[in-house]
Amino acid sequence: MAWHLSILVMATTCLMLFPVSKQSSKIELLQQLRKQLEYPRQLDAWGSPSSDPCYTQPTAVLAVTCEGNAITELKIIGDRITKPPKFSGYSVPNVTLSESFILDSFVTTLARLTTLRVVILVSLGIWGPLPDKLHRLSSLEVLDLSSNFLYGLIPPKLSVMSKLHTVTLDGNYFNGSVPDWLDSFSNLTVLRLQSNRLMGSIPASIAKATMLTELALAGNSISGDVPNLGNLSKLEMLDFRDNELDGELPEMPTAVVTILLSKNSLKGEIPEQFGQLNQLQHIDLSFNFLVGSPPVKLFALPNISYLNLAANMLSGSLSSSLTCSSTLGFVDLSTNRLTGDLPSCLNGNLNNKVVKFEGNCFKVDPAHQHEGKYCQQSHKWRGSSKDVGFVVTVVCILFIVLVVFLVLMVSNKRSCQEVLSKQLFLQKHTQDNSTTGMSSELLVNARCVPQAVKLGTHIQPSHRMFSLEELKEATKIFERSAFLGEGAIGKLYKGKLENGTLIAIRCLALHQRYSIRNLKLRLDLLGKLRHPNLVCLLGHCIDSTIDESSVKRVFLVYEYMPGGTLASYLYASSPEKTLKWCHRLQVLIAIAKAVHFLHTGIVPGSLYNRLKTSSILLDEHLSAKLSDYGLSIITEEIYKHEVIGEGKRYLQNNAAETLCQYQAWKSAVKFWIQSLLALLHRIPYLRWFQ
């Protein structure tokens, strides 16, 4: 009897200790994961060694789900959302986890939680190539590792995870090709690989993943054709935006609700089959090369609400009998070659419907339409191998000519330097040795400003002196709301004069040894520079010290350019702020004229200018002007205090050499521009220059 009793006690003890041991192992693994993730604040709830994560209250950033003693769900949302401009596969301080982090060890620890069905690890700074051993999580159904720093190939062994139905790897740095083993997933319903560095084409095998409901590959460098997706009968959302796809549009599955294919190079006509997608609600085909007339039935789909066909090459006229669905709320047909009358259901923003149709040849709203002949021009050149060959031949010839020109320029560099340095630089500095440090010729109006620019001054405001009180009143004593920014050349403010004129004020802090007489001479000279493509200097204000013998600050008052900088357009994420190629070309021509004037329109030329995208400003009509020009005229003496003896002679020789090289480069650029214009004349319908 005693023997039976002892066996019963031992069995009971083992049964009691077993779950405790299993529980302890589970907590230890989670604590190890916390350590490997370098103790993110989201896991502070696990700070106590005795705390059980299974009983932690779930939040938006942390959730642990358990069934018995098994962990089935692990969700951690971090706050490492900053993306560096360049990521080369190594740790980035304060952005990724540290150099000591080893992804292989982390996945090994994670794989020991074999009962996991959901793993969501987002924005935690995890970096490195994703190891194959992730497939050890054989029960996994949902995998979300988005917004981290994973790179390399997507592990092929993911394909053996038969229960996996949701894969989200958005916002990483995977740089291989789109996996061609996706058809091996029998249960895959959601695949999101957006904003990576995937290349190559979309494999045809993707059409065999028949359970897919969501497929998102936007923001990569995927090229080639879009495969036939007609077999994906359950597909509802397709997102291939912002890639390099250049094939024709395939037929779409009938269940699709959202189609996003903008910012590619898709060509051909929109298939008539798109007019039979009765479940379709949102379609965006903008910024492609689609031709022909859009299907009439596309506008009348029973559930359609958003239709964007902007910036294509659509042509022809829309049928007068075209009808619009009652659910249609937004239509964008702008920047195409459509002609004729605008159908009544698209004419006017009726019933809260927004319709955009500028940049076509419609008969309505002629102020925002092209002339009829613009839309009648042929644009089938893209399909012509003869024209493509011609473009390649011309580019090769231009490249060869440029190389030859550079060789000649280098060979003549020494003689050019000697001649120009003697005639244009040393001679002037020998003759002119005034107290201001400026050439007397530089202060003579007739020598400084060409006749063409003199005539332009009649329509531009003259340069005048401003008082400091005027500027304080215009900026409300330089309050924070008037501050526009600060750069290497002083702070910039926005102001409004008494007459309502908007101005931009740049404040320069100058060297104390800068005399007022010297400064006024230089400001007067700068004020004489007038050109349609230079931001007009309206005047200045000198803030001197108490004895008025030297300068404390100087304020330069410019005309205000409401369009902002060119940089804000080039790097804008909003499509509405994207510059068309015709506008970009106009900006380049305008700035080239401004630089040419600064180099050749005054004697000697102003060569040291701040030519960058943040110094190119646009007005409300997108006309470009160069700002921050000629500041070397003012700051020249500051630098002169710092450059003495041999340094002076080096700067002089360097200036002569720069001027020599500029003349050679100017000729080269002129030749290139003329050649390109000839090319455009030969093929006038190049899509990029429309």
Side-chain angles (χ1 to χ4, degrees), residues 593-614:
K593 291 179 179 178
V595 173
H596 181 264
F597 165 71
L598 290 172
H599 286 192
T600 63
I602 57 177
V603 179
S606 177
L607 301 180
Y608 301 99
N609 294 286
R610 306 177 61 83
L611 183 57
K612 52 185 180 180
T613 55
S614 59

Side-chain angles (χ1 to χ4, degrees), residues 4 27 93 161 245 278 309-310 319 359 398 504 612:
H4 289 288
I27 295 176
M161 304 173 71
L245 299 169
N278 292 332
L309 305 177
S319 173
L398 292 178
K612 52 185 180 180

Side-chain angles (χ1 to χ4, degrees), residues 438-597:
M438 300 170 61
S439 168
S440 59
E441 294 180 0
L442 194 61
L443 301 176
V444 181
N445 295 352
R447 294 295 306 275
C448 294
V449 185
Q451 186 66 23
V453 180
K454 283 185 182 180
L455 296 176
T457 59
H458 294 298
I459 59 173
Q460 297 197 35
S462 58
H463 186 89
R464 72 179 182 90
M465 283 281 293
F466 286 86
S467 65
L468 187 57
E469 287 70 23
E470 280 185 276
L471 300 186
K472 287 182 178 180
E473 183 178 352
T475 58
K476 298 181 179 178
I477 316 180
F478 299 98
E479 66 175 7
R480 183 180 297 272
S481 61
F483 182 69
L484 295 179
E486 182 174 7
I489 52 175
K491 298 181 179 180
L492 189 66
Y493 298 88
K494 177 182 177 182
K496 188 175 183 180
L497 300 177
E498 280 187 345
N499 60 4
T501 303
L502 293 176
I503 57 174
I505 306 169
R506 186 173 293 282
C507 175
L508 299 177
L510 298 180
H511 201 284
Q512 288 294 326
R513 285 180 285 176
Y514 212 135
S515 69
I516 289 184
R517 177 178 176 275
N518 197 345
L519 178 61
K520 285 183 177 180
L521 288 173
R522 294 171 183 268
L523 287 172
D524 288 341
L525 169 64
L526 192 59
K528 292 184 176 74
L529 300 183
R530 287 291 189 269
H531 190 273
N533 299 118
L534 294 179
V535 177
C536 183
L537 180 62
L538 302 176
H540 66 269
C541 170
I542 298 176
D543 184 14
S544 60
T545 55
I546 297 176
D547 58 1
E548 295 189 356
S549 61
S550 59
V551 178
K552 181 180 179 183
R553 293 178 300 177
V554 61
F555 297 90
L556 302 180
V557 183
Y558 294 96
E559 64 174 316
Y560 179 70
M561 301 291 286
T565 66
L566 177 61
S568 66
Y569 287 85
L570 295 180
Y571 307 120
S573 57
S574 172
E576 291 79 9
K577 212 173 182 183
T578 302
L579 284 178
K580 300 177 182 178
W581 278 105
C582 60
H583 291 148
R584 296 188 185 206
L585 189 59
Q586 291 172 2
V587 169
L588 290 175
I589 293 173
I591 299 306
K593 291 179 179 178
V595 173
H596 181 264
F597 165 71

